[in-house]
């Protein structure tokens, strides 16, 4: 049988440049109307019993070339378990070598979270007692911006993910957090639902997700640079969510992401905003330290450089929410590589670990929820 590669499906991304038997030269396609690319997701058929060589020839020009050294692609036969593939990066080319034992295999930058899975998640949660559902509006491709609410407490908590659609771990995190939050028997969840109202946007960028983008929406806009002045033409996703936030207020918020280069889980805060208060900074630090104590997958040593006083970029959601609402807001970053403090040679950083981290973040919030009233 002749091996074949395709990417014509939800969140697919690859172009086949040439094929020589079981060796493919491939190229990642840029986001629509943008230069960003790094996300790939494709299917390989017809190679059982043979070893294929899959060469992504434009890896060096991707958005984050530092993401490739020590990175390993994910592969799956059943689209449930995504294991690390033999991957190397040299001379600007990312090469995946794989001994195929079946005729249908899938390869991706990280365990995908398709829009079909997104709809399954929203449908399964929206029907639960005590959960509210609303579409906040439509994207430029006409998809709904799904929004869920849980709980009836005073503290207004916002959890939102996938402004950058290629960071699929972010929606796995949301799935873990929602699973815990809607568990009728979990005592932590019961307290959280009593003390707080959770506003959840599982996917801020459905268009980029379905199109197989790394970082932007249908018109090539990076949504996490739009929060100071979102528009219906460029960034209706941000406009709809920020308008709803203006109605509810925001006390605590987590914006969930993945980082290509840094092999750790970490938080970025809002230190550079003009109106920074001691209380805000103290609560942020307390959440970070509480999470670090609770989860061995989280740490606070490695991460982005802290921005100096007044230097915050208010087009980014974490800074905008901290400035606009006085919120304790944060950007949570999970790795595409692995957490080097606790590596897993079979799976690396994974969907499952992202989900556990979502559960643990709620545990940390529970532990300090009384501090917000003080
Ligand atoms: Zn991101």
């Amino acid at each position: 049988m002749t091996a074949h590669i395709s990417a014509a499906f939800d969140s697919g991304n690859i172009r086949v440049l040439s094929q020589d038997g079981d060796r493919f030269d491939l190229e990642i396609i840029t986001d629509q109307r943008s230069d960003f690319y790094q996300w790939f997701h494709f299917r390989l058929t017809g190679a059982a019993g043979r070893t294929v060589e899959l060469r992504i020839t434009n890896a060096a020009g991707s958005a984050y070339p530092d993401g490739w050294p020590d990175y390993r692609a994910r592969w799956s036969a059943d689209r449930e378990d995504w294991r690390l593939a033999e991957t190397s990066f040299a001379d600007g080319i990312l090469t995946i070598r794989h001994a195929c034992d079946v005729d249908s295999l899938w390869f991706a930058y990280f365990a995908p979270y398709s829009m079909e899975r997104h709809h399954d998640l929203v449908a399964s949660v929206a029907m639960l007692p005590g959960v509210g559902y609303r579409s906040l509006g439509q994207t430029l491709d006409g998809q709904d911006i799904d929004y869920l609410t849980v709980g009836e407490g005073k503290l207004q908590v916002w959890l939102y993910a996938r402004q950058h659609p290629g960071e699929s771990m972010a929606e796995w995190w949301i799935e873990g957090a929602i699973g815990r939050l809607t568990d009728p028997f979990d005592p932590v969840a019961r307290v959280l639902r009593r003390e707080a109202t959770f506003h959840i946007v599982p996917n801020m960028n459905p268009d980029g997700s379905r199109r197989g983008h790394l970082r932007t929406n249908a018109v090539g806009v990076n949504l996490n640079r739009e929060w100071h002045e979102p528009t219906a033409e460029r960034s209706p996703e941000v406009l709809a969510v920020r308008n709803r936030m203006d109605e509810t207020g925001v006390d605590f918020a987590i914006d969930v992401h993945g980082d290509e280069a840094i092999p750790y889980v970490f938080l970025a805060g809002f230190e550079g905003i003009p109106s920074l208060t001691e209380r805000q900074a103290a609560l942020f630090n307390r959440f970070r330290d509480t999470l670090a104590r609770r989860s061995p997958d989280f740490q606070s040593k490695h991460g982005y450089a802290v921005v100096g006083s007044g230097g915050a970029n208010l087009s980014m959601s974490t800074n905008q929410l901290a400035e606009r609402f006085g919120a304790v807001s944060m950007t949570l970053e999970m790795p595409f590589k692995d957490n080097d403090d606790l590596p897993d040679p079979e799976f690396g950083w994974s969907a499952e670990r992202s989900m556990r981290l979502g559960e643990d973040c709620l545990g940390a919030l529970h532990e300090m929820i009384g501090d917000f009233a003080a």
Side-chain angles (χ1 to χ4, degrees):
M1 213 182 327
T2 308
H4 184 79
I5 282 177
S6 66
F9 46 81
D10 184 338
S11 79
N13 183 325
I14 209 72
R15 179 185 289 131
V16 178
L17 297 176
S18 64
Q19 176 177 2
D20 178 8
D22 291 332
R23 177 180 148 146
F24 289 82
D25 276 5
L26 307 168
E27 199 173 73
I28 303 173
I29 300 167
T30 60
D31 292 6
Q32 174 90 351
R33 295 201 223 165
S34 160
D35 295 329
F36 287 121
Y37 65 90
Q38 192 124 2
W39 170 262
F40 59 88
H41 181 193
F42 55 88
R43 185 183 191 191
L44 169 73
T45 57
R50 309 197 299 274
T51 295
V52 294
E53 192 175 304
L54 314 170
R55 293 157 32 93
I56 297 178
T57 57
N58 64 342
S62 70
Y64 302 96
D66 288 347
W68 302 124
D70 304 320
Y71 163 78
R72 294 174 75 187
R74 309 305 198 270
W75 72 274
S76 178
D78 61 8
R79 305 208 304 155
E80 291 289 329
D81 292 332
W82 291 85
R83 289 181 161 76
L84 298 174
E86 183 189 327
T87 309
S88 59
F89 179 64
D91 302 326
I93 296 174
L94 189 83
T95 302
I96 304 165
R97 282 177 57 85
H98 192 75
C100 305
D101 50 9
V102 291
D103 269 321
S104 170
L105 288 171
W106 303 77
F107 294 85
Y109 188 33
F110 190 81
Y113 203 106
S114 70
M115 283 310 295
E116 285 302 313
R117 187 172 183 109
H118 165 86
H119 292 309
D120 289 344
L121 172 69
V122 171
S124 69
V125 175
M127 60 185 280
L128 297 174
V131 176
Y133 170 84
R134 193 196 290 195
S135 168
L136 291 179
Q138 277 72 43
T139 65
L140 295 167
D141 282 345
Q143 299 193 77
D144 284 308
I145 302 160
D146 292 321
Y147 161 68
L148 299 158
T149 53
V150 187
E152 54 230 22
K154 234 171 54 191
L155 195 76
Q156 303 299 317
V157 176
W158 276 82
L159 309 174
Y160 54 103
R162 286 190 94 181
Q163 292 202 73
H164 298 147
E167 296 160 13
S168 53
M169 58 283 277
E171 198 162 359
W172 289 108
W173 183 100
I174 288 276
E175 185 174 318
I178 290 185
R180 180 163 203 189
L181 201 54
T182 55
D183 182 342
F185 304 111
D186 185 318
V188 165
R190 294 182 65 204
V191 171
L192 287 173
R193 294 196 300 266
R194 188 186 68 202
E195 300 297 325
T197 300
F198 286 82
H199 308 267
I200 304 170
V201 181
N203 190 328
M204 287 283 303
N205 196 339
D207 294 353
S209 301
R210 194 163 67 184
R211 286 167 175 266
H213 284 189
L214 173 72
R215 205 163 162 79
T216 68
N217 70 0
V219 292
V221 170
N222 177 356
L223 295 182
N224 203 25
R225 298 294 183 277
E226 291 285 306
W227 286 74
H228 58 315
E229 47 181 12
T231 66
E233 293 71 34
R234 283 172 55 85
S235 46
E237 304 89 347
V238 175
L239 183 63
V241 170
R242 205 190 70 173
N243 283 345
R244 180 62 187 146
M245 288 173 167
D246 282 342
E247 291 170 2
T248 69
V250 183
D251 296 312
F252 179 90
I254 304 180
D255 177 22
V256 194
H257 287 253
D259 185 274
E260 289 78 1
I262 300 176
Y264 298 98
V265 181
F266 58 96
L267 282 173
F270 47 84
E271 294 81 2
I273 63 166
S275 69
L276 182 71
T277 67
E278 267 178 45
R279 173 186 179 273
Q280 237 176 336
L283 286 169
F284 171 80
N285 290 339
R286 198 168 312 159
F287 179 81
R288 182 196 58 204
D289 296 345
T290 305
L291 184 59
R293 186 166 43 71
R294 295 178 66 104
S295 172
D297 263 337
F298 180 77
Q299 55 80 53
S300 56
K301 193 169 145 212
H302 307 275
Y304 301 142
V306 170
V307 175
S309 176
N313 180 348
L314 295 177
S315 72
M316 298 168 74
S317 69
T318 288
N319 291 326
Q320 180 63 220
L321 301 190
E323 180 68 17
R324 192 182 191 88
F325 301 104
V328 179
S329 50
M330 57 199 72
T331 310
L332 175 68
E333 298 282 354
M334 291 174 276
F336 281 90
K337 294 175 178 176
D338 202 345
N339 166 17
D340 278 3
D341 285 338
L342 195 59
D344 177 340
E346 190 176 2
F347 293 96
W349 187 255
S350 62
E352 291 74 13
R353 290 168 81 185
S354 306
M355 292 173 71
R356 298 295 182 281
L357 185 71
E359 298 168 9
D360 280 337
C361 286
L362 292 180
L365 179 60
H366 163 261
E367 194 174 319
M368 58 177 285
I369 197 154
D371 300 347
F372 284 90

